Each structure stands twice: as C-alpha cells, then as structure tokens.
Amino acid sequence: MPYSLYHHNTFGIHATCDGFAEYHSQEECLQLAEQLRQSQQAWLPIGRGSNLLFVAPHYAGYIVHNAIKGIECMEESNDEVVVRIGGGEIWDNVVEHCVEQGWYGLENLSLIPGEVGAAAVQNIGAYGEEVGIHIVRVEGVYVLPEVKAATIERDACQYAYRSSIFKHDLKDVFLVTHVWLRLSKNFVPKLTHKAIVSRLAGKGITPQEVTATELRRSIIEIRQEKLPDPEVTGNAGSFFMNPVVPEALADSIRAQYPDLPCYPCPSDTEEGYVKIPAAWLIEKCGWKGKSLGPAGVNPLQPLVLTNNGTATGADIVALANAIQHDVKQKFSIELHPEVRYIS
Ligand code: EPU
C-alpha cells in the first residue's frame, strides 16, 4: 500500500512512497539503519520536506524521518554555551528557545522552515548568518558500508553556501541524530542586511539599542511579508541558489543593466567572482508573478516557485526549466536548484 507524502512536503505535492519510518533515539536509528542496510530498497531521509520536490508521482523507496527531540546544554562558561539538539526539533522553536535562554547567534535564522537535522545538512542561511558557523559537531549513524554510530566534527563537515559533506560524500550513507551548536551569551546583532536596519529604524530602534528578541521579531515580520506561507501556498522557499559568476560577466551585464545588484561571495570562493541575486535575473526575464500551468513565480520574491493548487512535481520542474532556459539565454548564467529533486 503506497504511503502518501502529501503532508511531508511543503510544496503540497500528491506523491507517494513505498513506506515511511521514524526514529526517536540513537538506538532506534541504529536498528533502522540495520534494516535499511539489509533491504535492497532505496531510502531518503527527510526533515519537514521544506527543501525538496517530489518530481515523480511515486518514490520507489522508504522515507526516513528523524523524530529525536530535546535541547540539552552540554557546556557553559561565562561567555558561551554548547547545546546538543535532537535533529527532529523544529528549527524555529530552537531559535525561539535559545533567544529566551539568552543564547545568541541564531536570531537571523528565525522562521526558516524545517528541522534541525536538515538545517545542518544543507547549512541554512539568511541575513548574513549561516548555521554552519555555529555547528560544533553532528552526531549520526552510518548505514553503509556498515552500521555504526559516528560523530562528524565541524572541520570535517565541509560547510559552504547551502552545502556540506552530508549532501556529498555522506549522501545516501549517513543518518543524522543530533546537532551540537556553540552560542554566545553576549548579544552582538548581525545587521549586514539593509532590510533589517531599515525595519528597525522604522520602529525607532537604533543598531545600538536592538535586543535579540526585537531582532528576531523584525526578521519574522520581514519574512512573513515577503515569503508565502506553505500552509496556504505550497512552496519550498528559495528554489534556486544565487549564482556565483566571474566579475567580468557581471561587468558585461552591468553595461546593459546598470541596476545589477552584486554581493560579495562566501569566503571559500575563488577571487574574482561575485554573487548575483537569482531573484533579479528571474525578474528581468519577466517571470515575476507569472505562471506556467498550475506552477507559479511568487510576485513578491520571484526566487520562490509555488504550487498554485493542483501542481504535480513535473509542473514545478517545467516552470523551473523554462526559467533556467530564459536566464541562460539572456544572461549566459546557469541557475542551479537549491531544492532537491527526488525522482
Ligand atoms: N531582488 C529582485 N527582485 C525581487 C526580489 C529581490 O531583484 O523581486 C533582488 C534584490 O536585489 C535583493 C536581492 O534580490 O536585494 C536579494 O533578495 P533577498 O534579500 O530577498 O534574498 P535572496 O538572495 O533572494 C537569500 C536566501 C534566502 C534568505 C535571504 C535573506 C538563497 C538561495 N536564498 O535570498 O533563503 O532568506 O537571502 O538572507 O540564498 C531559502 O534558502 O529558502 C531562503 C529563503
């Protein structure tokens, strides 16, 4: 009997899979890993399904969900704490809890959908902050080549823009159980994004007087205004990554479009490259607010593709392909999905 994945993907796609399994502890994860190793079936770990797209109507394999809860303080000094978090915790609940406890550093990542395990896998980021900066280690279980518990220390996690070892070498072999984060007891707001500073200014709050609670509240407001609520309109946040291109290419585009926005690249990128907002490219190709069948481009933030009610995975892919084609044609830039395609 196929298992419905409708409630396991924020795109609201009516896909099915062969079966669904959850683990609530490291012990259960080890047992499940042994079953997966012995079966010849494919398997896919998911969090809240907020960054994937079921392309085919049926996924021939098992969906595996980390349901481990808990936030424990493992180390504490005058300045810092190290917390160990079950990978099944809802990410934003963790941010809220940490701000309440006076453990700072995650405020800018408020209201990002999904769970802690997935956050560590895909190195979630927003407003100049990335979770990888705070990760101390990731605990989990190898399914292959043989079942064993393991801890991956931060230096081995290979964190980069929306990327980690868990999306590459450890893909399809490792299940996350817990994530350890180092947080500060001294609040230093990260205000690199103009949108945040102007939102605070609108409330009469200067960068010197902002509290962590107010910063979190402002980021929640900005996100709620700009990003569609998946409970109402199916979506998976940013659909594409922001492309990193040679400066020379950006210069040649700027000759024609003086308003081209450019941002510095993550520190691990080679020199001579800049990041261009995919949203701008999509808008310039005329896709903002447009639809292709039942799949749409959000009118406020064109980086977000939406299921306008009845879309299948194939409908969303058709729209994504059309956008990629047009951006390539007009700007010679390839957009790469941030959302993971599952077929
Ligand atoms: N822009 C346009 N037209 C628009 C909207 C935006 O041209 O209609 C341009 C503007 O130049 C704007 C720039 O895009 O300044 C950047 O927009 P924004 O600050 O909204 O961020 P983003 O680059 O589109 C990234 C992340 C988001 C994260 C925001 C805020 C990626 C793929 N996306 O989006 O993450 O919330 O920054 O930091 O890096 C997600 O991963 O799902 C996600 C929402």
Side-chain angles (χ1 to χ4, degrees):
M1 181 69 180
Y3 178 91
S4 170
L5 291 168
Y6 179 68
H7 293 293
H8 295 284
N9 75 103
T10 58
F11 255 120
I13 301 291
H14 283 278
T16 55
C17 65
D18 291 345
F20 181 81
E22 259 181 349
Y23 52 96
H24 299 80
S25 63
Q26 190 204 51
E27 191 62 6
E28 281 185 20
C29 185
L30 284 161
Q31 286 164 10
L32 178 61
E34 191 52 47
Q35 287 165 16
L36 293 171
R37 191 187 67 81
Q38 284 175 22
S39 80
Q40 295 301 306
Q41 275 200 298
W43 51 274
L44 173 77
I46 64 164
R48 271 223 135 23
S50 54
N51 199 50
L52 48 78
L53 177 63
F54 290 109
V55 173
H58 184 77
Y59 170 71
Y62 269 75
I63 299 292
V64 177
H65 180 240
N66 179 349
I68 302 177
K69 301 282 189 191
I71 308 177
E72 292 168 82
C73 183
M74 308 300 284
E75 287 170 36
E76 180 159 16
S77 68
N78 287 340
D79 298 325
E80 285 181 347
V81 289
V82 174
V83 289
R84 177 178 185 253
I85 309 169
E89 286 282 352
I90 306 267
W91 172 258
D92 192 55
N93 293 350
V94 171
V95 178
E96 184 179 36
H97 177 79
C98 291
V99 169
E100 278 168 11
Q101 298 296 312
W103 302 337
Y104 304 121
L106 306 179
E107 306 73 52
N108 290 23
L109 306 178
S110 291
L111 209 66
I112 293 185
E115 295 173 1
V116 168
V121 168
Q122 72 134 10
N123 192 16
I124 57 167
Y127 306 108
E129 191 67 72
E130 275 185 358
V131 73
I133 299 167
H134 299 280
I135 285 178
V136 176
R137 60 183 64 93
V138 175
E139 281 178 70
V141 166
Y142 279 95
V143 178
L144 297 167
E146 62 186 49
V147 172
K148 67 167 186 208
T151 298
I152 316 294
E153 296 294 329
R154 185 190 183 279
D155 283 351
C157 289
Q158 299 175 6
Y159 282 119
Y161 173 52
R162 295 296 193 280
S163 180
S164 73
I165 193 168
F166 308 104
K167 288 176 85 168
H168 298 283
D169 293 2
L170 296 189
K171 186 172 160 232
D172 299 332
V173 297
F174 189 79
L175 292 170
V176 172
T177 57
H178 298 85
V179 177
W180 295 55
L181 299 179
R182 186 185 306 281
L183 300 170
S184 176
K185 288 184 169 179
N186 305 308
F187 175 58
V188 182
K190 210 172 244 184
L191 301 171
T192 42
H193 275 233
K194 275 183 263 158
I196 302 176
V197 180
S198 40
R199 162 78 42 161
L200 292 169
K203 299 176 180 186
I205 301 170
T206 65
Q208 290 72 34
E209 59 195 16
V210 65
T211 63
T213 307
E214 186 48 63
L215 180 55
R216 170 170 160 79
R217 189 178 301 138
S218 297
I219 283 167
I220 289 174
E221 287 165 8
I222 295 171
R223 290 187 75 95
Q224 281 176 336
E225 276 171 21
K226 242 180 30 175
L227 300 169
D229 179 357
E231 295 287 325
V232 180
T233 308
N235 77 88
S238 298
F239 194 90
F240 299 104
M241 288 195 270
N242 287 326
V244 169
V245 306
E247 254 170 78
L249 177 55
D251 289 344
S252 73
I253 298 173
R254 193 173 300 103
Q256 211 186 336
Y257 299 92
D259 64 327
L260 173 75
C262 277
Y263 298 96
C265 283
S267 49
D268 60 322
T269 318
E270 267 178 74
E271 256 185 61
Y273 284 78
V274 290
K275 206 180 203 180
I276 294 185
W280 184 90
L281 298 168
I282 297 169
E283 181 172 354
K284 288 291 173 207
C285 287
W287 277 107
K288 188 168 173 166
K290 294 280 164 55
S291 292
L292 184 64
V297 180
N298 185 258
L300 296 176
Q301 171 46 293
L303 192 50
V304 177
L305 305 191
T306 54
N307 173 359
N308 294 345
T310 56
T312 61
D315 291 327
I316 307 281
V317 172
L319 173 60
N321 287 347
I323 292 171
Q324 284 171 303
H325 172 269
D326 288 1
V327 168
K328 174 89 185 169
Q329 198 82 351
K330 198 174 176 82
F331 296 109
S332 304
I333 293 177
E334 294 215 20
L335 288 185
H336 297 286
E338 183 197 322
V339 167
R340 182 168 169 200
Y341 288 9
I342 313 296
S343 43

